[in-house]
Amino acid sequence: MQIAAAAGMNCWGPGRAGNATKSDGSGPRGGRLMMLVWIILFSSLCLMVDGQMKIPPETVQQWAVSFSKEIAALSARYSGAKLLQKKYKDIEGMVKIEEVDGEELAKKFAEEMEEMLGRKMKSVKRLAEAAEDADLYHEYNETLEFDYYNSMLINSYDQEGNSVPLGGEFPLEANEHFNKLPVNTQLSNIQVPTNVYNRDPDILNGAYMSEALNDVFIDNFQKDPTLTWQYFGSATGFFRLYPGIKWTSDENGVVTFDSRNRNWYIQAATSPKDVVIVVDVSGSMKGLRLTIAKHTINTILDTLGENDFVNIIAYSDYVRYVEPCFKGTLVQADLDNREHFKILVEELHVKGEGKVKYAMKESFKILNEAAALGQGSLCNQAIMLITDGAMEDFQEVFKEFNWPERRVRVFTYLIGREMTFADNVKWIACNNKGYYTHVSTLADVQENVMEYLHVLSRPMVINHDHDIIWTEAYMDTVSPITEKLFDTQAQSLLLMTSVAMPVFSKKKETLSHGILLGVVGTDVALRELMRLAPRYKLGVHGYAYLITNNGYILSHPDLRPLYKEGKKLKPKPNYNSVDLSEVEWEDTEEKLRTAMVKGETGTLSLDVRTSVDKGTRVMFLKNDYFHTVLNETPFSLGIVLTRGYGQYIFIGNVSVEEGLHDLLAPDLTIASEWTYCETDIDPAHRKLNQLQAVVRYLTGKEPDLECDVLLLQQTLFDAVVTAPMEAYWTALMLNTSGMDDGVETAFLGTRSGLLRFQRYTGIEKRVAKSFLTSTDKENMFTLDHFPVWYRRAAEYPAGQFLYYMPRQDTRDVFRDYEADYSATLSAEEVEHQAEEGGRKRRRAEEEEGPIVISTTAVTVTVGKKTAIAGAIGVQMTLDAFESRFWSITSQPNDTDCSDIEGKCPLRCGSFDINCYLIDNNGFVLISKQRNDAGRFFGEVDGSVMTTLIRMGMFKRVSLFDYQAMCKMNSHSVNSARPLLSPFYGLASALKWLLSNFLLFLLEFNICGFWHTEHFADAKPSFSVSSAHKKKGDILQPCETEYPSFVYEPSVKETNSIIKCGRCQKMFVVQQIPDSNLLMLVVQADCDCSRQYSPITMEPKEVKYNASVKCDRMRSQKIRRRPESCHAYHPQENANDCGRASFISLSVSLFFICLSFSTIIS
């Protein structure tokens, strides 16, 4: 123990003041002067000495021991922990403890997942076969009249009460399997985007032909009742969906959803591809042309996926890369990179003369080098040329780089109304196995860009290679159906994957054209897939996760895909390109990632730092990782088991009759998100919750239910062993005279997901009204985690109580600008829920006061093996905790101070003393200032916390967050130009109008003005613009480092003196025995805030210099390429290489332009 003694002086004591003597010959004035000097010096000395207050450590130690006994007795009495531990001790001879076999567990989980996914693939195959057969026997009829069910128009009526065309009666009924949405399980219906004419002959013929899918949809659903949406996306633009549903438009009455833009369609329709986008930014591309060009680039980017590679080159009289860091290489077209490119494309400006030859040469060099080095997709290669004209001779370029093999396809997009160079631009495409399109308006972009996909699909179609594809994780925020499909309370809700297969024309006369009819598919909610890795088998800290062949997270409990911008929740730009190495970041050598990406089966052990309670508390775990591949998919499965309690599981057994009796107790619930019995197979079971289903199965009322027998066995056993707790808690509650104020809830949980709790206080008096309710996800068993009180107790010695104060704020310490993940809602619903949630939280904070949770683990030991059986605890108000603390930490006036060296009597309530109770992570539970409760102590007193860290009593631990969102730097150049005079501004405006109005009239499609569908797709081109948003307000993905602090338990007590300028501050720290708490007594009359800054837990962005940042962006991690590639077929008809938009001259417009031109002249 370090003890710093302070001298005790009695300054200005009686009898001392008159003892000053006068020096001879000094005179009255000299004496007074000397006296004044002595007074000043003596006062300073006394102040300094008084500042060295002596706080007796033995007094603080006595307080700590007394408080320990008080809170331990309180916790033990009201939780009943000793009784529960005794009950589990009594049955140790009846149970067996087994070591969890991680390899066997991973293998079993993988087999069950493969079986589930295999059923989905079979359903898709049946749909593809039916669609191709239907097309084979269908003869195209240009004049076909067919009234299909249009999902926008069903059950709609005109003013006279008649059904509108393509509407009609379409029965809809709420269905539990589809989250109570009104659907029609006997029929599918058709959605058509706003910019596609719903009575176009191609649409009518396709709708008529695909009616044959109705019976297959129904049959698939009967064979596999776990299927969700099944669909057929047609190459002509319509989308057939089963079950049928009423589709809704956006606030503008527009339906922008186009199935051909969806990842599942694009990946199924084409093989992986390397794409170089070449855009003309010469002076002629100004105005509307540049806007169309940017929209074209963004639309092309939207057709790429994580198996594709891309780069963008801009050219005028010189060639430059849109992202200079990517010079000479291809980068993976994941969501993060695509969004990065879109931001850069928005900043393009026009200047100079267009010289495309050099840009084409650079593009071929990129593609050739990638192929030579084995980089990129190693499959299709294409150049996308976006220009308003080409005057140069290209033959030499193509002879040098592409002819005669024509391995690189060239697709050309002629921008604007001008047709002078149409032949040149089309010649480029036709002589390089590409396709030419003319894009004259924004509305033309979508349809014209999609043409290249059909060209790339030709080899696959001619070969009739039906490759089944699985998409990466995605969040379907466009389709209104999937926004409401699943339970909004769970985590992996809207994250899903789709399985899809292309549909080809089998007609012999069109074989060489390789006609793609469309794509069929179905969705798989990742939440449902992860149910096949049940939590109880993985233990308190264990979990399962899935990654793709590219190493990206498909599902992981630490994946956080949403962030909050203002009041709106949005998917992060990189939400589905979060790499495994960014979540399991302790795998610094990426051994785990490499093995899983390669599809290997194996194991790995890692020492990891992880956090609980919203990232504020660190835990040190030793994890064992077990991984294997999911056959016939691009996915790999990993499971994590934690050493210690996670290594073992105990198995008990009781009779059904005995267990069922205790299972029906009113104080008992089971984990509602776990699958004890499968209720989604039989429609009759879908209204049952898990406890109801278990009871009906065990009583024989529903013998056909599929239930997890091992989980039910363990649940019944836990129900019997914990049953005495109900009587124990009830007896306490009924003894009202012996009840302590502020003790509100006793609770326990077991590994089987069983939860018992007793409310000692009525709802009207209860401070923690939401504790252990359905909204309190942190403290309940969920699909992703055990309760936080269970997880924390498991890492603390069994039998000793751990105390903590739950965080009341919802913002995680390392998750700035983020929000809880409830992504199944639509954008409007999410925004409403966020606002409503904020109001509820504010009301809750006003109604609910701070609380303290006391919890401990309960174990079972057989031989030398110990398994955790559960955790038990009590929740009380902070007032109840504080009252005991303040009563103990106050010595009465009649205290015997004869043997005490230092301040006596010592009282925490005195003005010159500050007393704190903090936990092992440095968070304040008790302080004089009530608003300090819940804060990190370093923010309250930086001087003492700094000293504790230096002395080794607390250790700072660095954690990293690779999914953070940070604000962009606000120091950007102001683009505003000073206005020299009103006349200057007016002249500039007139000049601009005169120079651009003619060009506007010539280029703008006036006919299209009267057809609003031409503008339906204009909006996306402006979506990334930040013109109306301050740069400092824009959030972007970033990496952050954030601290956590942990107490070193070997240091039981310490004290020290902190020198702070003219004063010194003493403090004493004492551990509360048998707990995770510390008592601090600090001298209060010495302010050290100038010398010591507060220590915060705020995250700091990890910034890299330009060179390192570029290296990180260019680096390409190990990935597993898709097995199939279809880039070439000798029978392909390359003559079908493009069409031009039909342009008619408007006579009136011509004369207007001519007249205006004359006026200007």
Side-chain angles (χ1 to χ4, degrees):
M1 180 188 299
Q2 178 185 355
I3 301 178
M9 285 189 178
N10 189 1
C11 299
W12 312 108
R16 295 286 181 94
N19 290 339
T21 59
K22 186 167 69 171
S23 178
D24 292 340
S26 59
R29 181 174 298 180
R32 285 195 295 271
L33 182 62
M34 185 62 69
M35 179 66 71
L36 182 61
V37 171
W38 273 106
I39 290 172
I40 293 171
L41 290 173
F42 195 57
S43 299
S44 301
L45 178 63
C46 289
L47 283 171
M48 184 172 66
V49 171
D50 271 357
Q52 297 175 358
M53 177 188 293
K54 178 67 183 341
I55 301 172
E58 57 271 23
T59 301
V60 180
Q61 187 180 42
Q62 291 171 4
W63 288 352
V65 171
S66 299
F67 188 65
S68 169
K69 293 177 181 178
E70 185 90 12
I71 60 175
L74 185 73
S75 300
R77 180 188 182 200
Y78 287 102
S79 68
K82 292 181 179 178
L83 173 61
L84 184 63
Q85 183 64 72
K86 181 180 182 301
K87 291 299 177 183
Y88 274 103
K89 183 74 175 175
D90 293 342
I91 53 86
E92 286 180 350
M94 303 165 52
V95 302
K96 60 179 181 179
I97 294 183
E98 295 181 352
E99 187 168 355
V100 180
D101 187 338
E103 292 184 34
E104 186 62 30
L105 210 56
K107 180 182 176 182
K108 183 181 179 182
F109 289 168
E111 288 173 351
E112 292 179 356
M113 289 182 179
E114 287 168 0
E115 182 184 354
M116 176 189 178
L117 299 179
R119 294 197 302 269
K120 315 304 177 191
M121 289 189 280
K122 287 179 182 178
S123 297
V124 169
K125 286 179 182 177
R126 287 192 286 265
L127 287 173
E129 291 169 1
E132 289 183 354
D133 289 343
D135 176 73
L136 181 62
Y137 299 110
H138 172 72
E139 288 191 15
Y140 188 89
N141 183 354
E142 186 74 32
T143 60
L144 176 68
E145 292 292 330
F146 175 63
D147 289 333
Y148 59 88
Y149 285 112
N150 186 303
S151 58
M152 285 286 295
L153 302 174
I154 56 171
N155 302 331
S156 298
Y157 307 95
D158 58 22
Q159 293 180 346
E160 297 177 0
N162 301 317
S163 295
V164 299
L166 301 181
E169 293 288 340
F170 194 81
L172 297 172
E173 185 178 351
N175 190 297
E176 292 285 336
H177 180 63
F178 296 94
N179 204 38
K180 300 181 181 179
L181 282 176
V183 298
N184 186 325
T185 55
Q186 300 305 311
L187 286 172
S188 62
N189 58 7
I190 286 176
Q191 175 265 340
V192 182
T194 302
N195 63 330
V196 176
Y197 179 43
N198 58 26
R199 284 190 176 275
D200 185 278
D202 288 344
I203 299 294
L204 294 177
N205 277 270
Y208 179 79
M209 175 274 292
S210 61
E211 282 285 300
L213 295 179
N214 270 319
D215 292 339
V216 187
F217 285 142
I218 296 170
D219 185 52
N220 280 344
F221 192 41
Q222 290 174 346
K223 289 178 178 177
D224 181 9
T226 65
L227 277 173
T228 55
W229 308 100
Q230 303 174 67
Y231 40 80
F232 169 58
S234 169
T236 59
F238 74 82
F239 179 62
R240 181 177 285 278
L241 178 70
Y242 173 87
I245 191 170
K246 175 74 173 179
W247 205 284
T248 54
S249 59
D250 63 18
E251 64 274 9
N252 299 316
V254 174
V255 178
T256 57
F257 178 85
D258 189 327
S259 61
R260 296 169 298 177
N261 293 341
R262 311 306 288 164
N263 240 359
W264 51 265
Y265 185 100
I266 294 163
Q267 290 185 35
T270 63
S271 295
K273 48 198 171 291
D274 299 333
V275 175
V276 178
I277 302 172
V278 180
V279 58
D280 183 354
V281 289
S282 61
S284 61
M285 285 287 289
K286 65 180 178 179
L288 183 61
R289 291 182 183 180
L290 184 60
T291 301
I292 295 172
K294 289 178 180 180
H295 187 27
T296 303
I297 295 172
N298 290 342
T299 306
I300 294 172
L301 288 173
D302 287 337
T303 65
L304 305 179
E306 62 181 39
N307 289 320
D308 303 319
F309 288 78
V310 67
N311 206 335
I312 303 178
I313 291 175
Y315 73 91
S316 52
D317 33 28
Y318 66 97
V319 174
R320 66 182 179 92
Y321 287 81
V322 170
E323 171 53 82
C325 178
F326 296 157
K327 182 177 181 180
T329 190
L330 293 167
V331 295
Q332 198 168 3
D334 56 36
L335 184 60
D336 200 8
N337 283 334
R338 297 199 306 268
E339 292 301 315
H340 180 65
F341 273 128
K342 287 181 181 180
I343 293 172
L344 296 175
V345 164
E346 203 60 31
E347 298 173 0
L348 289 176
H349 300 288
V350 298
K351 184 180 180 182
E353 180 184 351
K355 294 183 179 179
V356 70
K357 182 187 293 186
Y358 301 112
M360 296 298 287
K361 282 186 176 182
E362 186 69 17
S363 302
F364 279 116
K365 286 178 182 178
I366 294 173
L367 296 172
N368 290 343
E369 185 174 342
L373 296 176
Q375 297 175 349
S377 69
L378 297 184
C379 193
N380 287 292
Q381 291 193 322
I383 296 173
M384 310 295 197
L385 176 61
I386 302 169
T387 181
D388 64 346
M391 297 176 287
E392 300 170 79
D393 179 13
F394 302 97
Q395 291 196 32
E396 294 303 318
V397 177
F398 299 129
K399 283 179 182 178
E400 180 182 355
F401 291 101
N402 207 36
W403 291 351
E405 293 87 357
R406 292 172 169 79
R407 184 175 49 80
V408 179
R409 298 178 187 265
V410 182
F411 297 88
T412 56
Y413 302 87
L414 182 64
I415 305 298
R417 305 288 294 178
E418 181 61 54
M419 295 290 292
T420 305
F421 303 105
D423 290 342
N424 283 8
V425 176
K426 184 173 182 180
W427 181 91
I428 294 172
C430 292
N431 283 276
N432 291 280
K433 294 175 68 175
Y435 200 87
Y436 157 80
T437 56
H438 182 204
V439 187
S440 57
T441 69
L442 284 168
D444 296 337
V445 172
Q446 183 67 46
E447 290 294 319
N448 285 316
V449 165
M450 298 307 296
E451 292 291 348
Y452 96 87
L453 295 175
H454 300 148
V455 174
L456 291 184
S457 71
R458 286 174 186 167
M460 182 195 305
V461 178
I462 297 171
N463 256 344
H464 271 264
D465 291 319
H466 288 87
D467 294 334
I468 289 184
I469 66 95
W470 288 91
T471 67
E472 65 269 26
Y474 69 94
M475 201 178 298
D476 199 342
T477 56
V478 178
S479 170
I481 52 171
T482 48
E483 290 169 359
K484 304 170 185 175
L485 179 54
F486 304 106
D487 177 13
T488 60
Q489 297 300 318
Q491 173 145 1
S492 297
L493 310 195
L494 210 68
L495 276 178
M496 58 179 65
T497 181
S498 295
V499 55
M501 178 183 281
V503 178
F504 310 136
S505 171
K506 294 198 284 189
K507 295 176 179 177
K508 291 183 179 179
E509 60 270 24
T510 60
L511 181 62
S512 66
H513 292 272
I515 296 177
L516 176 74
L517 299 176
V519 174
V520 290
T522 186
D523 296 335
V524 179
L526 293 171
R527 168 185 173 79
E528 301 305 313
L529 187 60
M530 298 312 291
R531 285 183 184 277
L532 300 177
R535 293 286 322 169
Y536 80 96
K537 291 186 178 181
L538 299 170
V540 59
H541 297 305
Y543 56 89
Y545 61 92
L546 288 168
I547 68 169
T548 70
N549 58 302
N550 290 294
Y552 294 148
I553 295 294
L554 196 71
S555 179
H556 194 291
D558 291 335
L559 179 66
R560 309 191 312 275
L562 295 180
Y563 77 104
K564 195 172 183 180
E565 190 174 68
K567 294 182 179 180
K568 292 185 177 181
L569 291 180
K570 294 183 178 181
K572 294 177 182 176
N574 60 340
Y575 79 90
N576 66 355
S577 56
V578 176
D579 196 84
L580 178 64
S581 61
E582 296 174 336
V583 177
E584 301 291 348
W585 49 267
E586 295 279 21
D587 180 26
T588 53
E589 297 179 7
E590 298 191 2
K591 291 181 179 179
L592 176 66
R593 183 194 182 280
T594 300
M596 293 190 69
V597 166
K598 289 182 176 180
E600 297 174 358
T601 297
T603 65
L604 181 74
S605 295
L606 288 174
D607 293 315
V608 302
R609 290 162 283 176
T610 188
S611 59
V612 293
D613 201 10
K614 299 183 183 294
T616 56
R617 306 178 188 276
V618 67
M619 291 193 303
F620 300 91
L621 305 175
K622 189 170 186 64
N623 286 344
D624 292 322
Y625 293 80
F626 305 88
H627 55 87
T628 189
V629 69
L630 298 186
N631 294 315
E632 297 188 51
T633 77
F635 309 142
S636 290
L637 167 70
I639 68 168
V640 179
L641 299 176
T642 301
R643 298 272 179 94
Y645 293 139
Q647 288 178 276
Y648 302 104
I649 184 171
F650 82 92
I651 300 172
N653 199 5
V654 294
S655 67
V656 172
E657 292 77 15
E658 185 182 7
L660 191 58
H661 173 268
D662 292 325
L663 193 66
L664 295 173
D667 70 326
L668 185 147
T669 63
I670 57 177
S672 61
E673 294 183 12
W674 292 13
T675 304
Y676 296 81
C677 293
E678 183 56 69
T679 59
D680 202 33
I681 296 176
D682 187 336
H685 298 151
R686 288 174 182 153
K687 293 184 179 181
L688 299 175
N689 63 36
Q690 284 297 311
L691 184 57
Q692 291 170 338
V694 168
V695 171
R696 294 183 72 83
Y697 173 76
L698 294 175
T699 55
K701 294 179 180 179
E702 297 287 352
D704 296 332
L705 273 166
E706 293 184 14
C707 297
D708 187 328
V709 176
L710 181 62
L711 179 55
L712 290 189
Q713 176 184 321
Q714 193 60 46
T715 304
L716 291 176
F717 184 82
D718 288 340
V720 171
V721 177
T722 61
M725 301 309 300
E726 179 188 7
Y728 177 87
W729 289 336
T730 303
L732 283 176
M733 184 180 65
L734 294 177
N735 182 19
T736 53
S737 60
M739 281 291 295
D740 288 277
D741 291 336
V743 180
E744 297 191 336
T745 304
F747 56 86
L748 68 86
T750 69
R751 182 167 177 157
S752 62
L754 177 146
L755 178 69
R756 286 184 185 270
F757 58 88
Q758 174 67 56
R759 304 292 191 188
Y760 290 129
T761 309
I763 185 66
E764 68 285 347
K765 294 183 179 180
R766 198 181 311 147
V767 170
K769 291 181 172 60
S770 63
F771 182 65
L772 296 184
T773 63
S774 59
T775 59
D776 184 21
K777 291 298 179 183
E778 281 287 300
N779 291 305
M780 301 293 283
F781 290 94
T782 70
L783 197 62
D784 290 320
H785 58 71
F786 278 54
V788 67
W789 46 265
Y790 194 122
R791 285 179 282 163
R792 296 204 65 200
E795 293 306 307
Y796 204 68
Q800 290 188 16
F801 283 93
L802 175 141
Y803 306 86
Y804 70 99
M805 183 176 169
R807 291 183 65 81
Q808 288 183 292
D809 61 338
T810 58
R811 181 178 66 83
D812 295 14
V813 70
F814 60 101
R815 302 179 188 179
D816 261 343
Y817 320 112
E818 296 189 21
D820 293 335
Y821 180 24
S822 55
T824 44
L825 305 177
S826 66
E828 292 77 13
E829 289 171 316
V830 167
E831 184 176 354
H832 171 73
Q833 190 183 65
E835 292 176 354
E836 184 63 24
R839 286 192 291 269
K840 287 181 179 178
R841 283 193 296 272
R842 286 191 292 273
R843 285 198 299 270
E845 289 172 3
E846 291 170 1
E847 296 173 4
E848 299 189 12
I851 63 171
V852 174
I853 291 177
S854 168
T855 179
T856 186
V858 177
T859 57
V860 174
T861 302
V862 177
K864 294 183 178 180
K865 298 177 180 178
T866 299
I868 187 166
I872 188 169
V874 62
Q875 171 263 312
M876 62 193 88
T877 64
L878 183 60
D879 288 337
F881 222 55
E882 283 181 332
S883 62
R884 287 162 175 78
F885 182 84
W886 296 126
S887 65
I888 287 172
T889 58
S890 180
Q891 291 181 318
N893 290 328
D894 58 357
T895 301
D896 182 4
C897 299
S898 58
D899 296 330
I900 297 177
E901 184 181 351
K903 187 176 177 65
C904 182
L906 187 66
R907 298 187 183 92
C908 279
S910 61
F911 74 94
D912 55 351
I913 291 290
N914 282 332
C915 294
Y916 303 93
L917 186 69
I918 66 173
D919 65 20
N920 58 316
N921 295 114
F923 288 97
V924 178
L925 279 78
I926 297 176
S927 167
K928 280 183 187 177
Q929 303 298 322
R930 189 63 181 270
N931 59 358
D932 287 343
R935 294 176 64 194
F936 178 58
F937 181 66
E939 299 174 357
V940 177
D941 192 329
S943 62
V944 175
M945 193 67 200
T946 300
T947 307
L948 292 177
I949 294 171
R950 287 176 181 169
M951 297 170 71
M953 197 166 197
F954 273 88
K955 181 171 65 174
R956 185 187 191 277
V957 180
S958 291
L959 301 172
F960 297 91
D961 180 18
Y962 295 93
Q963 303 176 64
M965 296 292 289
C966 302
K967 289 184 178 181
M968 293 180 67
N969 294 329
S970 57
H971 55 277
S972 57
V973 178
N974 191 343
S975 59
R977 181 175 183 174
L979 192 62
L980 302 180
S981 71
F983 300 104
Y984 177 86
L986 182 60
S988 298
L990 287 172
K991 179 180 178 182
W992 182 88
L993 284 170
L994 291 175
S995 62
N996 285 278
F997 188 56
L998 179 59
L999 179 64
F1000 171 78
L1001 287 174
L1002 287 171
E1003 289 193 339
F1004 192 72
N1005 184 355
I1006 284 186
C1007 291
F1009 184 81
W1010 305 107
H1011 301 280
T1012 56
E1013 65 267 24
H1014 289 306
F1015 299 96
D1017 286 330
K1019 187 177 180 180
S1021 66
F1022 304 105
S1023 62
V1024 295
S1025 174
S1026 56
H1028 301 293
K1029 187 183 293 184
K1030 293 181 180 178
K1031 191 172 182 180
D1033 294 336
I1034 299 174
L1035 299 176
Q1036 62 181 3
C1038 64
E1039 300 171 14
T1040 59
E1041 177 185 357
Y1042 63 99
S1044 186
F1045 297 85
V1046 63
Y1047 164 62
E1048 175 50 60
S1050 63
V1051 184
K1052 304 293 183 183
E1053 55 191 18
T1054 189
N1055 62 80
S1056 183
I1057 292 177
I1058 305 170
K1059 294 182 179 180
C1060 302
R1062 297 182 62 183
C1063 68
Q1064 299 185 91
K1065 176 192 289 189
M1066 184 181 184
F1067 69 87
V1068 176
V1069 186
Q1070 180 70 49
Q1071 185 195 37
I1072 309 291
D1074 300 323
S1075 78
N1076 65 315
L1077 302 177
L1078 297 166
M1079 184 181 291
L1080 271 77
V1081 180
V1082 183
Q1083 182 178 338
D1085 56 3
C1086 179
D1087 183 9
C1088 297
S1089 58
R1090 290 187 177 182
Q1091 289 79 16
Y1092 294 88
S1093 300
I1095 300 175
T1096 71
M1097 298 184 69
E1098 288 301 309
K1100 293 183 179 179
E1101 183 179 356
V1102 179
K1103 295 185 177 181
Y1104 304 96
N1105 61 41
S1107 176
V1108 174
K1109 185 176 181 180
C1110 181
D1111 289 342
R1112 289 169 60 86
M1113 291 173 68
R1114 288 174 63 96
S1115 65
Q1116 296 188 9
K1117 294 179 181 288
I1118 293 175
R1119 55 185 295 272
R1120 186 169 83 247
R1121 291 184 175 85
E1123 295 178 0
S1124 62
C1125 170
H1126 308 282
Y1128 171 77
H1129 197 285
Q1131 297 180 22
E1132 178 185 343
N1133 178 13
N1135 293 326
D1136 181 10
C1137 58
R1139 63 174 185 267
S1141 300
F1142 176 74
I1143 303 173
S1144 59
L1145 178 65
S1146 167
V1147 177
S1148 58
L1149 177 59
F1150 174 76
F1151 281 111
I1152 290 172
C1153 295
L1154 187 63
S1155 303
F1156 191 75
S1157 177
T1158 305
I1159 292 170
I1160 292 177
S1161 301

